[in-house]
Amino acid sequence: MKEQIFVTGIGTEIGKTVCSAILTQHLKADYWKPVQSGDLHATDSMRIYDLLQGDVRIHPERYKLQLAASPHKSALLENTSISLKDFKIPETTNNLVIEGAGGLFVPLSDTCYIIDLIQALTIPVALVIKDYLGCINHSLLSINAIKQRNIDLKYLIFNGGIDTDTERVISLQIPEHTQIIHIPQLETVTAEAVRKITDPFNS
């Protein structure tokens, strides 16, 4: 059975796109970014394509919004309304990596959030964590929300190294089946650096 995974994070700027590239490479998967809000000259889809040197099938975004802001704000300024009914998982015979926008409670509209999209698509999650002051609180809140929605937390990804005490207290809260992945700190994020991480599941 082909694997589908939704990559989300405990916040913004924690490396979801790099982790998505590594997972896409490892799983030989397609990539889909349902909502791109801002940076249309350099989208996450474009970045994935570059990091994997074109060796990937990219599915088009459902929404491409001009303003680099929360999707609900960007959509409002463009007189657009985002509805969960508008999203359909792309058809493919390959594995599929889906990358969200920001964290679980980034609003797509005034009434729905990224976590609602994940729940509507009914696919497992990879939660990306980066080590910073406050990451324990953000991680545990995210894990608790995933549990409350009965979403399958398939992977927990520590991106760029993690303090051992921080990792321990976070890891105690995840389901037994959740697989922990460590992505090493990349000095520069390049196609070569991504290519060298051939098996993140054993790193």
Side-chain angles (χ1 to χ4, degrees):
M1 185 176 179
K2 294 298 181 181
E3 182 167 0
Q4 297 176 336
I5 194 76
F6 195 107
V7 179
T8 188
I10 62 170
T12 59
E13 301 300 324
I14 58 169
K16 288 193 311 298
T17 301
V18 172
C19 291
S20 294
I22 292 167
L23 287 178
T24 299
Q25 171 183 259
H26 179 76
L27 296 172
K28 297 180 173 57
D30 293 0
Y31 172 87
W32 182 42
K33 176 88 173 184
V35 180
Q36 176 71 41
S37 190
D39 298 324
L40 298 188
H41 65 290
T43 66
D44 289 337
S45 293
M46 293 176 186
R47 194 176 183 205
I48 292 287
Y49 188 86
D50 289 342
L51 288 174
L52 299 183
Q53 298 182 310
D55 188 21
V56 59
R57 181 184 180 189
I58 305 286
H59 295 275
E61 299 88 342
R62 177 61 182 86
Y63 290 95
K64 293 177 74 173
L65 306 167
Q66 296 286 338
L67 181 66
S70 176
H72 84 300
K73 180 178 179 66
S74 303
L76 182 64
L77 292 177
E78 296 183 25
N79 295 315
T80 298
S81 177
I82 298 177
S83 170
L84 294 180
K85 297 178 182 178
D86 298 334
F87 296 96
K88 182 180 179 182
I89 294 176
E91 293 185 5
T92 178
T93 57
N94 295 328
N95 294 324
L96 179 66
V97 171
I98 304 172
E99 182 183 351
L104 290 167
F105 285 94
V106 166
L108 297 171
S109 71
D110 287 356
T111 58
C112 70
Y113 304 85
I114 288 292
I115 194 169
D116 296 308
L117 175 59
I118 296 170
Q119 197 167 25
L121 296 177
T122 62
I123 61 173
V125 159
L127 180 65
V128 180
I129 296 170
K130 193 173 182 67
D131 195 357
Y132 59 83
L133 186 62
C135 76
I136 294 175
N137 181 56
H138 296 160
S139 297
L140 298 187
L141 286 171
S142 297
I143 291 168
N144 189 52
I146 290 168
K147 287 179 178 178
Q148 287 182 337
R149 298 292 189 100
N150 293 315
I151 296 168
D152 180 12
L153 179 57
K154 188 165 187 178
Y155 303 120
L156 192 72
I157 303 177
F158 291 110
N159 181 36
I162 190 79
D163 175 80
T164 55
D165 295 321
T166 297
E167 178 177 355
R168 184 181 66 257
V169 74
I170 292 172
S171 300
L172 286 171
Q173 300 303 317
I174 63 175
E176 288 186 7
H177 74 275
T178 301
Q179 185 171 353
I180 295 175
I181 299 173
H182 292 91
I183 301 296
Q185 179 67 44
L186 301 180
E187 296 303 322
T188 55
V189 179
T190 63
E192 181 181 6
V194 168
R195 188 173 62 250
K196 286 181 177 179
I197 304 175
T198 57
D199 189 359
F201 298 94
N202 290 318
S203 60

